[in-house]
């Protein structure tokens, strides 16, 4: 398996522009997570989906951020309009469906390094 | 108080040394616990899960103390390749996946 695939790997944009990050989870995994990592705040969960349905989006910073999962093999995280403080590494992760009473490993993609000027 | 706290380090140790990291969590209802490893400019990867009875994987030993709400990671006979940031992870839910990552502890193993 190719693992979790993210694109682009690097993105440099100007303030006010729309940014779309893409993720393809591992085939057969039912849960998908979007994280943001910065030096100041560490790794923060933004949103996670289970069976393509958003379960918890309480970590999404504000209305400028939106995430979709139209099918089991694709998700997007969109920032519109982008701001310099959005500069971070954005990771997508997937995991198999949790079995009742157990937790599953998360498999991370390589991340997208976003710089908003 | 942050939900998961770790000493950021860095811990600088010589090859062959034994090093231990602790992590504390604030939510007593936390269900499961993990250590992840993150190399510089790479994604986090699972190192090991932490079980109530403690568990060992080669040179790595993880312990959980629910009463005091902390978990630990012990690395014996450290190698240069162990240099990384170690992230403590807590799942707050039993039937869901509400993972909270600690800020990480940076380890440098020196020759």
């Amino acid at each position: 398996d190719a693992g979790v695939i993210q694109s682009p790997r690097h993105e440099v944009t100007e303030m006010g522009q729309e940014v779309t990050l893409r993720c393809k989870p591992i085939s057969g995994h039912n849960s998908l997570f979007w994280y943001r990592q910065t030096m100041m705040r560490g790794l923060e969960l933004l949103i996670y989906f289970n069976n393509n349905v958003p379960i918890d989006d309480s970590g999404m910073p504000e209305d400028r951020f939106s995430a979709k999962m139209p099918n089991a093999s694709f998700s997007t995280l969109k920032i519109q309009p982008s701001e310099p403080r959005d500069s971070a590494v954005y990771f997508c992760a997937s995991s198999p469906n949790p079995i009742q009473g157990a937790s599953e490993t998360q498999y991370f993609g390589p991340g997208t390094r976003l710089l908003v000027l | 108080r942050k939900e998961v706290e770790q000493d950021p380090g860095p811990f600088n140790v010589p090859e062959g040394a034994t090093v231990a990291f602790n992590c504390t969590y604030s939510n007593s209802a936390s269900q499961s616990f993990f250590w992840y490893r993150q190399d510089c400019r790479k994604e986090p990867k699972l190192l090991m899960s932490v079980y109530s009875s403690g568990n060992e994987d080669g040179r790595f030993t993880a312990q959980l103390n629910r009463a005091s709400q902390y978990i630990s990671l012990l690395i014996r006979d450290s190698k240069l390749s162990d240099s990384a940031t170690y992230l403590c992870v807590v799942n707050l839910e039993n039937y869901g996946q509400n993972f909270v990552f600690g800020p990480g502890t940076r380890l440098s193993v020196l020759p």
Side-chain angles (χ1 to χ4, degrees), chain A residues 32-104:
Chain A
L32 182 141
F33 307 79
W34 281 102
Y35 289 91
R36 176 172 68 176
Q37 187 173 39
T38 61
M39 287 292 292
M40 290 296 295
R41 301 176 66 90
L43 198 61
E44 303 173 281
L45 177 65
L46 300 177
I47 185 171
Y48 86 89
F49 296 84
N50 188 254
N51 292 323
N52 312 339
V53 176
I55 303 300
D56 184 355
D57 65 354
S58 59
M60 295 286 265
E62 49 197 271
D63 291 346
R64 297 185 298 108
F65 285 68
S66 62
K68 294 182 180 179
M69 192 165 186
N71 57 63
S73 59
F74 184 66
S75 176
T76 60
L77 177 68
K78 187 173 293 187
I79 309 172
Q80 167 63 15
S82 58
E83 297 182 2
R85 60 191 168 123
D86 301 330
S87 298
V89 181
Y90 290 81
F91 288 105
C92 176
S94 70
S95 70
N97 206 29
I99 301 169
Q100 184 170 332
S103 297
E104 299 288 345

